[in-house]
Protein backbone atom coordinates (compact mmCIF):
# COMPACT_ATOMS: atom_id res chain seq x y z
CA UNK A 1 0.00 0.00 0.00
CA UNK A 2 2.88 2.36 0.77
CA UNK A 3 4.15 1.78 -2.76
CA UNK A 4 0.73 2.79 -4.06
CA UNK A 5 1.04 6.02 -2.11
CA UNK A 6 -1.54 5.09 0.52
CA UNK A 7 -0.63 5.53 4.18
CA UNK A 8 -1.77 2.61 6.33
CA UNK A 9 -1.89 2.66 10.12
CA UNK A 10 -3.25 -0.10 12.30
CA UNK A 11 -5.10 0.69 15.56
CA UNK A 12 -5.96 -1.62 18.41
CA UNK A 13 -9.72 -2.08 18.52
CA UNK A 14 -10.75 -5.61 19.33
CA UNK A 15 -9.24 -5.82 22.81
CA UNK A 16 -8.56 -3.47 25.72
CA UNK A 17 -4.87 -4.42 25.50
CA UNK A 18 -2.77 -5.84 22.71
CA UNK A 19 -1.73 -9.27 24.03
CA UNK A 20 2.00 -8.61 23.82
CA UNK A 21 1.74 -5.56 26.09
CA UNK A 22 0.72 -7.41 29.28
CA UNK A 23 3.61 -9.43 30.71
CA UNK A 24 4.70 -10.90 34.01
CA UNK A 25 7.59 -9.31 35.90
CA UNK A 26 9.84 -11.91 34.25
CA UNK A 27 8.62 -10.81 30.81
CA UNK A 28 6.59 -13.94 29.99
CA UNK A 29 2.85 -14.38 29.40
CA UNK A 30 0.51 -14.72 32.38
CA UNK A 31 -1.06 -18.16 32.85
CA UNK A 32 -3.17 -17.24 35.87
CA UNK A 33 -6.16 -14.93 35.56
CA UNK A 34 -6.06 -12.93 38.82
CA UNK A 35 -2.53 -11.50 38.45
CA UNK A 36 -3.21 -11.00 34.73
CA UNK A 37 -6.28 -8.88 35.44
CA UNK A 38 -4.48 -6.99 38.21
CA UNK A 39 -1.74 -6.10 35.73
CA UNK A 40 -4.40 -4.95 33.24
CA UNK A 41 -6.11 -2.75 35.83
CA UNK A 42 -2.76 -1.28 36.84
CA UNK A 43 -1.89 -0.53 33.21
CA UNK A 44 -5.27 1.18 32.58
CA UNK A 45 -6.81 1.21 29.14
CA UNK A 46 -7.35 3.94 26.58
CA UNK A 47 -10.90 5.26 26.33
CA UNK A 48 -12.44 4.88 22.88
CA UNK A 49 -11.78 7.68 20.42
CA UNK A 50 -14.68 9.93 19.50
CA UNK A 51 -16.21 9.38 16.09
CA UNK A 52 -14.55 11.60 13.51
CA UNK A 53 -17.31 13.24 11.43
CA UNK A 54 -14.75 14.14 8.76
CA UNK A 55 -13.92 10.52 7.99
CA UNK A 56 -15.72 9.42 4.85
CA UNK A 57 -15.83 6.20 2.89
CA UNK A 58 -14.62 6.07 -0.73
CA UNK A 59 -16.64 8.03 -3.24
CA UNK A 60 -16.27 5.48 -6.03
CA UNK A 61 -19.23 3.21 -6.58
CA UNK A 62 -18.44 -0.48 -6.89
CA UNK A 63 -20.38 -2.89 -9.08
CA UNK A 64 -21.50 -5.70 -6.86
CA UNK A 65 -23.91 -8.65 -6.56
CA UNK A 66 -26.93 -8.24 -4.31
CA UNK A 67 -26.09 -10.11 -1.10
CA UNK A 68 -29.48 -11.88 -1.06
CA UNK A 69 -28.63 -13.48 -4.43
CA UNK A 70 -25.85 -15.48 -2.84
CA UNK A 71 -28.39 -17.61 -0.95
CA UNK A 72 -26.31 -17.64 2.21
CA UNK A 73 -29.21 -17.83 4.64
CA UNK A 74 -30.16 -21.34 5.75
CA UNK A 75 -33.36 -22.74 4.20
CA UNK A 76 -33.80 -26.43 4.67
CA UNK A 77 -33.88 -26.54 7.58
CA UNK A 78 -33.88 -22.86 8.53
CA UNK A 79 -31.95 -23.40 11.76
CA UNK A 80 -31.66 -19.64 12.23
CA UNK A 81 -35.42 -18.96 12.31
CA UNK A 82 -35.34 -18.31 16.07
CA UNK A 83 -32.29 -16.02 16.02
CA UNK A 84 -33.85 -12.60 15.23
CA UNK A 85 -35.90 -12.71 18.45
CA UNK A 86 -32.65 -12.75 20.41
CA UNK A 87 -30.52 -10.10 18.78
CA UNK A 88 -30.27 -7.49 16.13
CA UNK A 89 -26.97 -7.78 14.30
CA UNK A 90 -25.06 -4.60 13.57
CA UNK A 91 -23.69 -1.55 15.32
CA UNK A 92 -27.07 -0.06 16.19
CA UNK A 93 -28.29 -3.32 17.67
CA UNK A 94 -25.09 -3.52 19.74
CA UNK A 95 -25.49 0.01 21.10
CA UNK A 96 -29.12 -0.55 21.95
CA UNK A 97 -28.20 -3.78 23.77
CA UNK A 98 -25.47 -2.04 25.76
CA UNK A 99 -27.80 0.77 26.82
CA UNK A 100 -30.57 -1.64 27.73
CA UNK A 101 -28.18 -3.73 29.81
CA UNK A 102 -26.90 -0.72 31.73
CA UNK A 103 -30.45 0.43 32.44
CA UNK A 104 -32.08 -2.91 33.23
CA UNK A 105 -29.49 -5.65 33.74
CA UNK A 106 -26.30 -4.35 35.32
CA UNK A 107 -27.80 -3.76 38.72
CA UNK A 108 -27.65 -7.20 40.32
CA UNK A 109 -25.13 -8.58 37.79
CA UNK A 110 -22.68 -9.81 40.44
CA UNK A 111 -25.23 -11.89 42.29
CA UNK A 112 -27.59 -12.87 39.46
CA UNK A 113 -25.27 -13.48 36.50
CA UNK A 114 -25.33 -17.22 37.24
CA UNK A 115 -29.13 -17.45 36.92
CA UNK A 116 -30.16 -18.53 33.41
CA UNK A 117 -33.78 -17.79 34.32
CA UNK A 118 -33.02 -14.09 34.94
CA UNK A 119 -32.05 -11.39 32.41
CA UNK A 120 -28.88 -10.19 34.16
CA UNK A 121 -26.15 -10.79 31.62
CA UNK A 122 -25.40 -8.37 28.80
CA UNK A 123 -25.78 -10.70 25.78
CA UNK A 124 -23.12 -8.58 24.09
CA UNK A 125 -20.80 -11.47 23.21
CA UNK A 126 -21.77 -11.80 19.54
CA UNK A 127 -21.60 -8.03 19.07
CA UNK A 128 -18.11 -8.05 20.61
CA UNK A 129 -17.14 -11.05 18.54
CA UNK A 130 -17.98 -9.33 15.27
CA UNK A 131 -16.62 -5.92 16.25
CA UNK A 132 -20.06 -4.28 16.28
CA UNK A 133 -19.10 -2.68 19.56
CA UNK A 134 -15.58 -2.51 20.94
CA UNK A 135 -14.46 -3.73 24.35
CA UNK A 136 -13.29 -0.18 25.07
CA UNK A 137 -16.71 1.29 24.33
CA UNK A 138 -18.36 -1.29 26.57
CA UNK A 139 -15.80 -0.81 29.37
CA UNK A 140 -16.10 3.00 29.15
CA UNK A 141 -19.91 2.83 29.39
CA UNK A 142 -19.73 0.53 32.43
CA UNK A 143 -17.12 2.73 34.15
CA UNK A 144 -19.24 5.78 33.50
CA UNK A 145 -22.30 4.08 35.01
CA UNK A 146 -20.20 3.19 38.06
CA UNK A 147 -18.58 6.60 38.43
CA UNK A 148 -21.86 8.48 38.15
CA UNK A 149 -23.56 6.18 40.65
CA UNK A 150 -25.91 4.68 38.04
CA UNK A 151 -24.41 1.24 38.86
CA UNK A 152 -22.86 0.00 42.05
CA UNK A 153 -19.17 -0.78 42.20
CA UNK A 154 -19.57 -4.50 42.86
CA UNK A 155 -21.73 -5.10 39.78
CA UNK A 156 -19.58 -2.90 37.53
CA UNK A 157 -16.28 -4.42 38.66
CA UNK A 158 -17.59 -7.97 38.30
CA UNK A 159 -18.73 -7.18 34.77
CA UNK A 160 -15.37 -5.61 33.90
CA UNK A 161 -13.61 -8.73 35.19
CA UNK A 162 -15.71 -10.85 32.79
CA UNK A 163 -14.45 -8.65 29.98
CA UNK A 164 -11.09 -9.44 31.59
CA UNK A 165 -11.68 -13.17 30.94
CA UNK A 166 -12.19 -12.29 27.30
CA UNK A 167 -8.87 -10.43 27.33
CA UNK A 168 -7.19 -13.36 29.09
CA UNK A 169 -8.50 -15.88 26.53
CA UNK A 170 -7.23 -13.78 23.62
CA UNK A 171 -3.93 -13.30 25.41
CA UNK A 172 -3.63 -17.10 25.81
CA UNK A 173 -4.47 -17.72 22.14
CA UNK A 174 -1.83 -15.21 21.09
CA UNK A 175 0.88 -16.80 23.23
CA UNK A 176 -0.27 -20.42 22.76
CA UNK A 177 -1.69 -20.55 19.21
CA UNK A 178 -2.46 -24.28 19.40
CA UNK A 179 -4.99 -23.59 22.20
CA UNK A 180 -8.01 -24.72 20.07
CA UNK A 181 -6.35 -28.08 19.34
CA UNK A 182 -3.82 -29.03 22.00
CA UNK A 183 -4.14 -29.47 25.75
CA UNK A 184 -2.18 -26.70 27.42
CA UNK A 185 -1.28 -29.15 30.19
CA UNK A 186 0.74 -31.99 28.63
CA UNK A 187 -0.50 -34.59 31.16
CA UNK A 188 -3.87 -34.55 29.35
CA UNK A 189 -2.31 -35.87 26.13
CA UNK A 190 -2.55 -39.40 27.55
CA UNK A 191 -6.13 -39.00 28.84
CA UNK A 192 -8.31 -42.02 27.95
CA UNK A 193 -11.26 -40.26 26.29
CA UNK A 194 -14.17 -42.46 25.22
CA UNK A 195 -15.59 -42.69 21.73
CA UNK A 196 -19.34 -42.30 22.32
CA UNK A 197 -21.14 -41.22 19.12
CA UNK A 198 -24.58 -42.00 20.61
CA UNK A 199 -23.87 -40.01 23.77
CA UNK A 200 -22.47 -37.13 21.73
CA UNK A 201 -25.58 -37.07 19.55
CA UNK A 202 -27.92 -37.14 22.57
CA UNK A 203 -25.94 -34.24 24.06
CA UNK A 204 -26.07 -32.25 20.81
CA UNK A 205 -29.82 -32.77 20.47
CA UNK A 206 -30.64 -32.05 24.12
CA UNK A 207 -31.85 -35.60 24.81
CA UNK A 208 -29.61 -36.69 27.69
CA UNK A 209 -32.43 -37.03 30.25
CA UNK A 210 -30.83 -34.32 32.45
CA UNK A 211 -33.18 -31.32 32.16
CA UNK A 212 -30.63 -28.51 32.69
CA UNK A 213 -28.26 -30.04 30.12
CA UNK A 214 -31.07 -30.56 27.61
CA UNK A 215 -32.41 -27.04 28.15
CA UNK A 216 -28.97 -25.56 27.45
CA UNK A 217 -28.34 -27.61 24.33
CA UNK A 218 -31.79 -26.80 22.93
CA UNK A 219 -31.37 -23.10 23.76
CA UNK A 220 -28.13 -23.22 21.77
CA UNK A 221 -29.77 -24.86 18.75
CA UNK A 222 -32.82 -22.57 18.72
CA UNK A 223 -31.20 -19.24 19.55
CA UNK A 224 -27.48 -19.58 18.70
CA UNK A 225 -26.50 -18.81 22.26
CA UNK A 226 -26.46 -20.31 25.74
CA UNK A 227 -26.15 -18.80 29.21
CA UNK A 228 -22.59 -18.95 30.62
CA UNK A 229 -23.45 -21.04 33.70
CA UNK A 230 -25.25 -23.58 31.53
CA UNK A 231 -22.30 -23.66 29.08
CA UNK A 232 -20.16 -24.77 32.02
CA UNK A 233 -22.70 -27.43 33.05
CA UNK A 234 -23.13 -28.92 29.56
CA UNK A 235 -19.38 -28.86 28.94
CA UNK A 236 -18.72 -30.62 32.24
CA UNK A 237 -21.40 -33.20 31.36
CA UNK A 238 -19.82 -34.01 27.99
CA UNK A 239 -16.27 -34.12 29.28
CA UNK A 240 -16.75 -35.72 32.67
CA UNK A 241 -20.04 -37.64 32.62
CA UNK A 242 -19.58 -38.95 29.08
CA UNK A 243 -15.74 -38.74 29.02
CA UNK A 244 -15.85 -37.34 25.49
CA UNK A 245 -12.80 -35.32 24.40
CA UNK A 246 -13.40 -31.58 24.99
CA UNK A 247 -12.44 -30.91 21.35
CA UNK A 248 -15.67 -32.56 20.16
CA UNK A 249 -17.68 -30.16 22.32
CA UNK A 250 -15.58 -27.22 21.21
CA UNK A 251 -16.26 -28.14 17.58
CA UNK A 252 -20.04 -28.32 18.16
CA UNK A 253 -20.05 -24.93 19.90
CA UNK A 254 -17.94 -23.54 17.07
CA UNK A 255 -20.60 -24.69 14.57
CA UNK A 256 -23.64 -23.54 16.53
CA UNK A 257 -22.80 -20.49 18.67
CA UNK A 258 -23.39 -17.10 17.09
CA UNK A 259 -20.66 -15.69 19.37
CA UNK A 260 -18.27 -18.56 18.45
CA UNK A 261 -14.80 -17.19 19.02
CA UNK A 262 -11.58 -19.20 18.76
CA UNK A 263 -10.03 -17.67 21.86
CA UNK A 264 -13.03 -17.66 24.23
CA UNK A 265 -14.37 -21.00 23.06
CA UNK A 266 -11.10 -22.92 23.25
CA UNK A 267 -9.95 -21.32 26.50
CA UNK A 268 -13.33 -22.01 28.12
CA UNK A 269 -13.46 -25.65 27.02
CA UNK A 270 -9.93 -26.20 28.31
CA UNK A 271 -10.92 -24.40 31.52
CA UNK A 272 -13.78 -26.84 32.12
CA UNK A 273 -11.67 -29.85 31.10
CA UNK A 274 -8.95 -28.84 33.53
CA UNK A 275 -6.40 -29.02 30.73
CA UNK A 276 -5.97 -25.27 30.26
CA UNK A 277 -4.26 -22.33 31.92
CA UNK A 278 -5.73 -21.41 35.32
CA UNK A 279 -8.37 -24.09 34.73
CA UNK A 280 -10.91 -25.60 37.11
CA UNK A 281 -9.34 -28.84 38.36
CA UNK A 282 -10.56 -31.95 36.52
CA UNK A 283 -11.91 -33.45 39.75
CA UNK A 284 -14.39 -30.57 40.16
CA UNK A 285 -17.31 -32.29 38.48
CA UNK A 286 -20.63 -30.49 38.21
CA UNK A 287 -23.65 -32.41 39.39
CA UNK A 288 -26.28 -31.48 36.76
CA UNK A 289 -29.17 -31.93 39.18
CA UNK A 290 -27.70 -29.72 41.93
CA UNK A 291 -26.57 -27.13 39.38
CA UNK A 292 -30.10 -26.99 38.01
CA UNK A 293 -31.66 -26.68 41.45
CA UNK A 294 -29.23 -23.97 42.52
CA UNK A 295 -29.30 -21.78 39.44
CA UNK A 296 -32.79 -22.45 38.06
CA UNK A 297 -34.65 -23.07 41.33
CA UNK A 298 -38.20 -22.84 39.97
CA UNK A 299 -37.31 -24.58 36.73
CA UNK A 300 -38.37 -21.59 34.62
CA UNK A 301 -35.37 -21.98 32.29
CA UNK A 302 -36.02 -25.72 31.83
CA UNK A 303 -39.72 -25.12 31.21
CA UNK A 304 -38.88 -22.61 28.45
CA UNK A 305 -36.52 -24.86 26.55
CA UNK A 306 -37.83 -28.35 27.39
CA UNK A 307 -41.59 -27.79 27.05
CA UNK A 308 -42.46 -31.45 27.53
CA UNK A 309 -41.46 -31.02 31.21
CA UNK A 310 -43.31 -27.72 31.66
CA UNK A 311 -46.08 -29.12 33.85
CA UNK A 312 -43.78 -30.91 36.28
CA UNK A 313 -43.71 -29.42 39.84
CA UNK A 314 -40.49 -27.54 40.73
CA UNK A 315 -39.54 -30.30 43.20
CA UNK A 316 -38.99 -32.76 40.32
CA UNK A 317 -38.17 -30.49 37.40
CA UNK A 318 -34.43 -31.24 37.63
CA UNK A 319 -34.90 -34.92 38.60
CA UNK A 320 -37.98 -36.23 36.75
CA UNK A 321 -36.94 -39.86 37.30
CA UNK A 322 -37.69 -39.41 41.03
CA UNK A 323 -41.24 -38.17 40.45
CA UNK A 324 -44.02 -40.59 41.45
CA UNK A 325 -45.76 -42.11 38.44
CA UNK A 326 -49.00 -40.27 39.30
CA UNK A 327 -47.12 -36.91 39.18
CA UNK A 328 -45.57 -37.82 35.84
CA UNK A 329 -48.96 -38.89 34.54
CA UNK A 330 -50.60 -35.61 35.61
CA UNK A 331 -47.79 -33.66 33.94
CA UNK A 332 -48.29 -35.64 30.71
CA UNK A 333 -44.84 -37.23 30.86
CA UNK A 334 -43.87 -40.79 30.05
CA UNK A 335 -40.17 -41.30 30.66
CA UNK A 336 -38.58 -43.11 27.73
CA UNK A 337 -41.42 -41.93 25.44
CA UNK A 338 -42.13 -38.19 25.80
CA UNK A 339 -38.81 -37.43 27.55
CA UNK A 340 -35.70 -39.68 27.61
CA UNK A 341 -34.38 -41.72 30.49
CA UNK A 342 -30.97 -40.52 31.71
CA UNK A 343 -28.29 -41.72 29.28
CA UNK A 344 -25.82 -42.15 32.14
CA UNK A 345 -26.00 -42.35 35.91
CA UNK A 346 -24.17 -39.30 37.27
CA UNK A 347 -22.77 -41.00 40.39
CA UNK A 348 -21.31 -43.86 38.33
CA UNK A 349 -20.00 -41.43 35.71
CA UNK A 350 -18.32 -39.29 38.35
CA UNK A 351 -16.41 -42.30 39.77
CA UNK A 352 -15.45 -43.39 36.25
CA UNK A 353 -14.12 -39.91 35.44
CA UNK A 354 -12.08 -39.73 38.62
CA UNK A 355 -10.59 -43.17 37.88
CA UNK A 356 -9.63 -42.06 34.35
CA UNK A 357 -8.03 -38.91 35.76
CA UNK A 358 -6.10 -40.90 38.37
CA UNK A 359 -4.78 -43.23 35.64
CA UNK A 360 -3.60 -40.23 33.62
CA UNK A 361 -1.76 -38.78 36.59
CA UNK A 362 -0.29 -42.19 37.41
C1 LIG B 1 -17.64 -24.17 27.25
C2 LIG B 1 -17.73 -22.67 27.02
C3 LIG B 1 -17.59 -22.16 25.74
C4 LIG B 1 -17.65 -20.76 25.52
N1 LIG B 1 -17.52 -20.29 24.23
C5 LIG B 1 -17.54 -18.95 24.01
C6 LIG B 1 -17.42 -18.42 22.69
O1 LIG B 1 -17.23 -19.15 21.70
N2 LIG B 1 -17.49 -17.07 22.53
C7 LIG B 1 -17.67 -16.22 23.60
O2 LIG B 1 -17.73 -14.99 23.40
N3 LIG B 1 -17.75 -16.69 24.86
C8 LIG B 1 -17.71 -18.02 25.09
N4 LIG B 1 -17.82 -18.50 26.38
C9 LIG B 1 -17.80 -17.54 27.52
C10 LIG B 1 -19.18 -17.06 28.02
O3 LIG B 1 -20.04 -18.14 28.21
C11 LIG B 1 -19.85 -16.06 27.04
O4 LIG B 1 -18.95 -15.03 26.70
C12 LIG B 1 -21.08 -15.44 27.72
O5 LIG B 1 -22.01 -16.44 28.07
C13 LIG B 1 -21.73 -14.45 26.76
O6 LIG B 1 -22.90 -13.93 27.32
P1 LIG B 1 -22.99 -12.42 27.76
O7 LIG B 1 -22.51 -11.53 26.67
O8 LIG B 1 -24.38 -12.22 28.27
O9 LIG B 1 -21.94 -12.39 28.97
P2 LIG B 1 -21.74 -11.31 30.13
O10 LIG B 1 -21.79 -12.03 31.43
O11 LIG B 1 -22.61 -10.15 29.98
O12 LIG B 1 -20.21 -10.90 29.95
C14 LIG B 1 -19.78 -9.75 29.20
C15 LIG B 1 -18.76 -10.16 28.17
O13 LIG B 1 -17.59 -10.67 28.79
C16 LIG B 1 -17.04 -11.73 28.01
N5 LIG B 1 -17.06 -12.97 28.81
C17 LIG B 1 -17.93 -13.29 29.79
N6 LIG B 1 -17.61 -14.48 30.33
C18 LIG B 1 -16.50 -14.92 29.68
C19 LIG B 1 -15.68 -16.08 29.78
N7 LIG B 1 -15.91 -17.02 30.70
N8 LIG B 1 -14.64 -16.20 28.94
C20 LIG B 1 -14.36 -15.24 28.02
N9 LIG B 1 -15.10 -14.11 27.87
C21 LIG B 1 -16.16 -13.95 28.69
C22 LIG B 1 -17.92 -11.87 26.77
O14 LIG B 1 -17.34 -11.14 25.72
C23 LIG B 1 -19.24 -11.25 27.24
O15 LIG B 1 -20.02 -10.73 26.19
C24 LIG B 1 -17.80 -19.89 26.62
C25 LIG B 1 -17.93 -20.42 27.93
C26 LIG B 1 -17.91 -21.80 28.12
C27 LIG B 1 -18.04 -22.33 29.52
Amino acid sequence: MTQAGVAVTSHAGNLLFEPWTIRTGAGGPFRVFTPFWKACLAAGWQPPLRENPELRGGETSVTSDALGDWGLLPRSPDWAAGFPAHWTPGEQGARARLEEFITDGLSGYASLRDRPDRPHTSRLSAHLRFGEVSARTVAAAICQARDTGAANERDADKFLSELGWREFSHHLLYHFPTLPHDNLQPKFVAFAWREDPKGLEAWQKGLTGYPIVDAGMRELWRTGTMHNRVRMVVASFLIKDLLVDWRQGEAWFWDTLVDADHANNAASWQWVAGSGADAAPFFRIFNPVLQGEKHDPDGAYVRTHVPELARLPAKYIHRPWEAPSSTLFEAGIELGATYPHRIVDHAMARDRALEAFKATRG
Side-chain angles (χ1 to χ4, degrees), residues 20-21 37 47 58 124 128-129 139 148 176 206 218 232 238 245 250 255 265 271 275:
W20 51 91
T21 61
W37 188 232
L124 281 167
L128 283 161
R129 160 70 178 84
T148 56
F176 307 100
R218 295 190 204 180
M232 293 196 278
L238 184 75
D245 191 328
E250 196 264 355
D255 276 353
N265 199 28
W271 184 88
S275 61

Side-chain angles (χ1 to χ4, degrees), residues 269-293:
W269 275 94
Q270 293 227 38
W271 184 88
V272 179
S275 61
D278 196 8
F282 183 89
F283 54 78
R284 194 189 296 161
I285 298 176
F286 279 135
N287 178 321
V289 175
L290 300 183
Q291 286 289 313
E293 290 176 343

